[in-house]
Amino acid sequence: MVQSWHSMRDNTMSSLLRLPPQILLLIAAAVPSTHAQDAPSLSLRPNQTLADAGYDVSQIISPSFAGMGIEPSNLFSFTGGDEVNTMTDLRIGGNTQDYMSYDPSFTDFATKSNPNPRGQGAYASDSLIIGPGYLQALNRFPAGTPITYGLNLAYDEPDWRPRITELANASRSLLDHVKLVGFEIGNEPDLYLENGFRTGAWSGPVYTTQWLSRAAAVFEDVLQPNNISSNFFEPSCTASTIGTSFQISDLGQAGILQPANGSTDNKTYVATFNQHDYYYYIGVSSYALDLDLFQNLQETRNQFTAWVGQIQQAFALGVPYVLREMASVGPIGQQGISDTFGAALWTLDFFLYAATLNITSVQIHMTDNSFAAPWQPIDKYDMAPHVRPSYYAFAAMAQIIGAGCTTRVQTLPLPTVPAGYANRLVAYSIYRGDNIAGIVVINTMVSNSTDRSKGSIEINLSLPDHGNANFFVSSLLGPGTDATTNTTWNGLSFETGDFKPAAVGGASAAQQKALSRSGAARIQLRDASAIVISLDDALGTGPASVYDAQACQSLGSTRPEPESASGPDGTSSSQADASASAASAAGPDTTRIPNAPDAAGAGGMVVPLGVAVAAALVAGGWMA
């Protein structure tokens, strides 16, 4: 029997009397005030098998789908310098890879200004010097972390070939604790005229010629002598292709997929196409952004329209597509938007939306001064290091994907949206193997922390093939859309003194319920919250949380996956390995912000974020 909302509410209020006051505040904000019979309703009837789901179900989602990125000038805020901080799987990427020059004699854990730069550019294309210490800092990531390292295309002096191959060879040989899986050559070449890196005729076809020359040099001098295949590179990493000749189809026509020189297997140089986007960019976007507009999910789809076209162009050429730099607001977020609970809901929705588009991986960009970063790693803005609400979206997405390499998602159509909720509700079906495994529902109706009365909707779920089956409800909750603290996911908080996950008020990770004989259930969803309905097993437990060697090796044969010391073919050998490698990302000194709940913190539930965070590290960063 499905417990009634009134009974659940009464039992909850009775339990609240035994909880500490600070927990009362958070849980009270999570309880909808609208009575079940008064709540607007939303009917959901997902396809129950993959065969019924049809053509628009996603490809299998890699456990390394949801990732993060660090600006290289901020690298040591996250890794530590002479003192080592514990790290997580991340990407470092952006403009400053095109400022960097390698000096093997410079061993400090730092970057330094080049006293005699020769390269062109508003910031000279050899204005920053790095050395072995920089690569050693990257080596602090967990064993087997896949690294896509960024090489300098902007530098175009006569000695460009020895410069680029020296850094490529150093990264190949010195990144021995992590796993080098690719090179990105150049960052956002569509902005090279603006940055002063190029003058005169500069276009997608000219870029393609120069990119191919660098790829050939690195292949011939570094990869081929070490028996590494030619398809080891990522173009075009553009900021935007709108109105330019840098569209993926333009690069294809210019010959970027030509076979590599001297390749014995007739492969190209290209592993995947790489582009960047921000939902909103300060100084570029032509309208004002507030929380209400931010929570309008259709606006995200509208903004991303041009990028959907680029994804389709990549697929037409038979090449995967990754979004290596993304965030709610660029370049460093917007206070009151990016650091709110609304950003957690937005991030979770964007991850799922991107997965339905068959984007292979998404990295959310971070700097140590960014409000859009999932956590703040140093003392800044009169605040100590802390976790932001958007961090919880990574944990939720990791559990949704699981560790088994069999998960797909599909947008679940909403036949009738309750009045007033247009563009505020979205649902996704989750499939594992051949069958439905769960449903995600996100409600972005703005309801702020000061709103004492919070609305809700009633979900009428129909799964006729699952009559009498158990299901579990995991919730993403906060005090309100505008809240910057007291977020929880699946009953867990990371806002603890040592940043280790802790159950809130002893609450269970997920609420267990049961479908009726006909496969029906009613579920309350509060405004400004999200739920994941998981069939058969609670999210983070059961087969989905266990490494599937055959499935993951099959997926890893086409996409680089994280590996542990004991795992085969680029994947972690067990969920225990995943949890161990998921240790933490860094705060200053010994402060540690965990990348995933461990079994103890989650009451036996594991978030496989050590496996799930995409770990493409690129030696570059965003500079406005």
Side-chain angles (χ1 to χ4, degrees):
M1 294 291 291
V2 178
Q3 190 178 21
S4 72
W5 171 246
H6 293 290
S7 175
M8 290 168 58
R9 182 191 61 190
D10 293 343
N11 291 341
T12 300
M13 295 307 295
S14 175
S15 301
L16 288 178
L17 298 177
R18 300 190 295 273
L19 297 178
Q22 66 270 25
I23 302 302
L24 278 173
L25 290 174
L26 174 60
I27 298 182
V31 177
S33 62
T34 305
H35 288 210
Q37 65 265 30
D38 300 327
S41 64
L42 177 70
S43 297
L44 297 178
R45 184 171 180 142
N47 293 307
Q48 296 177 77
T49 67
L50 192 61
D52 292 336
Y55 70 92
D56 62 344
V57 68
S58 78
Q59 63 187 6
I60 292 174
I61 308 172
S62 169
S64 60
F65 176 84
M68 306 171 189
I70 298 176
E71 181 179 347
S73 59
N74 293 176
L75 177 66
F76 299 108
S77 293
F78 292 89
T79 66
D82 294 327
E83 292 187 19
V84 179
N85 285 343
T86 308
M87 285 300 300
T88 182
D89 304 345
L90 304 165
R91 170 191 179 259
I92 300 176
N95 285 357
T96 56
Q97 73 186 62
D98 279 329
Y99 306 155
M100 289 183 169
S101 180
Y102 185 75
D103 180 355
S105 68
F106 179 56
T107 58
D108 292 1
F109 287 96
T111 62
K112 70 176 181 179
S113 296
N114 185 350
N116 300 299
R118 296 192 300 125
Q120 70 283 22
Y123 292 93
S125 54
D126 59 345
S127 59
L128 292 178
I129 294 176
I130 61 171
Y134 194 92
L135 299 174
Q136 187 176 341
L138 298 184
N139 244 346
R140 292 171 178 173
F141 287 81
T145 296
I147 308 296
T148 301
Y149 195 92
L151 302 175
N152 189 333
L153 172 66
Y155 186 78
D156 200 31
E157 298 302 308
D159 62 342
W160 67 259
R161 182 165 183 143
R163 291 282 193 97
I164 195 172
T165 56
E166 182 178 37
L167 178 53
N169 195 50
S171 61
R172 181 203 61 79
S173 60
L174 296 180
L175 295 176
D176 53 0
H177 179 70
V178 294
K179 181 180 181 182
L180 182 66
V181 298
F183 289 122
E184 178 185 88
I185 302 176
N187 181 78
E188 297 180 355
D190 52 313
L191 302 181
Y192 272 18
L193 288 176
E194 178 182 331
N195 294 336
F197 289 149
R198 295 294 187 271
T199 59
W202 179 248
S203 63
V206 176
Y207 156 76
T208 297
T209 299
Q210 296 188 13
W211 186 91
L212 286 169
S213 68
R214 271 68 171 180
V218 173
F219 175 58
E220 293 163 8
D221 296 358
V222 178
L223 302 182
Q224 196 171 37
N226 289 283
N227 299 314
I228 300 173
S229 180
S230 63
N231 60 337
F232 205 73
F233 302 93
E234 291 186 6
S236 53
C237 43
T238 48
S240 174
T241 61
I242 298 173
T244 75
S245 59
F246 289 85
Q247 295 190 66
I248 289 173
S249 60
D250 295 328
L251 306 185
Q253 291 173 10
I256 204 163
L257 295 178
Q258 69 180 40
N261 297 332
S263 174
T264 58
D265 50 16
N266 203 38
K267 289 183 178 179
T268 73
Y269 296 111
V270 178
T272 184
F273 284 111
N274 165 352
Q275 292 184 331
H276 303 167
D277 182 33
Y278 287 85
Y279 164 70
Y280 184 90
Y281 204 92
I282 295 173
V284 175
S285 299
S286 60
Y287 57 93
L289 182 64
D290 58 24
L291 272 177
D292 186 67
L293 185 62
F294 184 42
Q295 298 298 281
N296 184 323
L297 299 178
Q298 185 57 45
E299 291 298 317
T300 300
R301 278 73 174 160
N302 294 343
Q303 190 279 333
F304 206 64
T305 299
W307 280 260
V308 172
Q310 292 301 293
I311 297 166
Q312 294 168 348
Q313 290 179 20
F315 294 163
L317 294 173
V319 179
Y321 180 98
V322 295
L323 193 64
R324 291 290 190 216
E325 189 171 312
M326 182 64 187
S328 56
V329 179
I332 60 168
Q334 180 175 329
Q335 191 171 23
I337 299 288
S338 304
D339 58 346
T340 66
F341 181 70
L345 298 175
W346 180 89
T347 302
L348 179 58
D349 172 64
F350 187 81
F351 282 153
L352 290 162
Y353 169 61
T356 68
L357 298 175
N358 289 325
I359 296 175
T360 298
S361 181
V362 175
Q363 275 72 49
I364 300 297
H365 199 60
M366 302 193 300
T367 61
D368 61 16
N369 65 340
S370 174
F371 293 103
W375 69 89
Q376 181 174 299
I378 62 174
D379 291 310
K380 195 77 175 177
Y381 306 120
D382 296 322
M383 291 184 287
H386 61 275
V387 173
R388 292 191 174 96
S390 62
Y391 184 88
Y392 293 81
F394 289 84
M397 189 64 181
Q399 286 196 313
I400 290 168
I401 297 171
C405 302
T406 62
T407 299
R408 303 173 188 261
V409 299
Q410 181 182 45
T411 300
L412 179 55
L414 307 181
T416 303
V417 175
Y421 282 85
N423 302 324
R424 309 290 170 165
L425 293 172
V426 67
Y428 299 92
S429 301
I430 308 166
Y431 296 93
R432 295 196 180 95
D434 296 327
N435 298 298
I436 192 165
I439 302 97
V440 182
V441 191
I442 303 172
N443 179 351
T444 63
M445 176 66 75
V446 172
S447 183
N448 288 329
S449 304
T450 54
D451 296 335
R452 297 179 61 87
S453 179
K454 287 182 163 53
S456 68
I457 64 168
E458 182 178 75
I459 298 171
N460 295 319
L461 179 64
S462 178
L463 291 166
D465 293 349
H466 292 76
N468 296 322
N470 289 330
F471 67 95
F472 299 81
V473 179
S474 300
S475 299
L476 179 61
L477 292 168
T481 306
D482 61 343
T484 58
T485 59
N486 290 329
T487 301
T488 63
W489 159 248
N490 222 351
L492 293 173
S493 171
F494 293 90
E495 299 162 48
T496 55
D498 57 4
F499 299 101
K500 294 181 180 180
V504 174
S508 62
Q511 299 178 15
Q512 182 174 347
K513 301 177 181 294
L515 293 162
S516 70
R517 181 181 300 177
S518 63
R522 294 180 179 179
I523 306 159
Q524 293 291 313
L525 175 61
R526 196 203 73 182
D527 291 348
S529 71
I531 59 172
V532 180
I533 301 164
S534 181
L535 301 177
D536 300 325
D537 298 294
L539 210 60
T541 68
S545 66
V546 178
Y547 168 74
D548 183 326
Q550 184 175 355
C552 289
Q553 289 174 31
S554 176
L555 185 62
S557 67
T558 58
R559 310 175 207 167
E561 299 298 318
E563 69 175 344
S564 68
S566 58
D569 297 329
T571 49
S572 174
S573 62
S574 69
Q575 188 56 37
D577 290 336
S579 182
S581 69
S584 48
D589 302 321
T590 57
T591 301
R592 300 174 65 243
I593 300 178
N595 192 38
D598 56 24
M605 174 189 65
V606 177
V607 177
L609 212 55
V611 175
V613 173
L617 279 126
V618 184
W622 182 268
M623 293 187 68

